Amino acid sequence: MDAHAHCCADHSCTLNYSLYKHINLPGVTCLNAVSEDVLPDVFRPWESRLSHPASFLRSDPDDPELLLTIPFTTNVTILAVAIICPEDSEFTTYPDSVRVFTNRENMDFQTAQEAPPVQSWDLLQDYRAQTVAEYTCKPGKFVGVHTLTMHFPSSYGADETNISFIGFKGTASGVVRE
């Protein structure tokens, strides 16, 4: 019998693959954010993705570009990424795309703009679609990841970008990084 032969709505299949507990939250950084203090609100358990945090990640008011660096406590294999924006934000403040890099530390905006990403996605502008959307990673491209860098170059037309949740699905090696 197929090990996945049941209705996932009746089970917590997604929770088994959440990489939240493997994110080194104190090590997460974001360039061009109004405040990095909100990052623990953005990276939270999968089952909390639809909760409305008190604060969310916001770029500087005159520049929508963001550059997030997310270290993991163990090497991970990332299968999918979820990005949700605040429901009460104007849709124009949603990021329109993301460029993702693996195991590249100390990236700056110039490097993120010029280097080829491991993968990029055009992001959804519709809030309801975002709550169920997952951006699937290319097979074999996100294996052995210890650091993930996410470059959000622009929004859907506003001078700032707002993000309320970022989550990852995948598996962890279990070997803790020093």
Side-chain angles (χ1 to χ4, degrees), residues 31-53:
L31 299 180
N32 201 40
V34 170
S35 172
E36 289 189 341
D37 294 341
V38 302
L39 292 174
D41 290 336
V42 174
F43 296 97
R44 55 189 188 275
W46 180 260
E47 63 271 17
S48 300
R49 72 189 180 286
L50 300 181
S51 67
H52 299 285

Side-chain angles (χ1 to χ4, degrees), residues 26-91:
V28 176
T29 61
C30 187
L31 299 180
N32 201 40
V34 170
S35 172
E36 289 189 341
D37 294 341
V38 302
L39 292 174
D41 290 336
V42 174
F43 296 97
R44 55 189 188 275
W46 180 260
E47 63 271 17
S48 300
R49 72 189 180 286
L50 300 181
S51 67
H52 299 285
S55 55
F56 50 86
L57 180 60
R58 181 182 304 214
S59 71
D60 281 338
D62 295 326
D63 184 1
E65 192 171 21
L66 290 169
L67 187 65
L68 271 163
T69 301
I70 304 118
F72 293 92
T73 58
T74 184
N75 286 350
V76 298
T77 298
I78 302 172
L79 304 174
V81 177
I83 300 166
I84 301 175
C85 300
E87 183 177 18
D88 55 353
S89 287
E90 294 179 33
F91 294 129

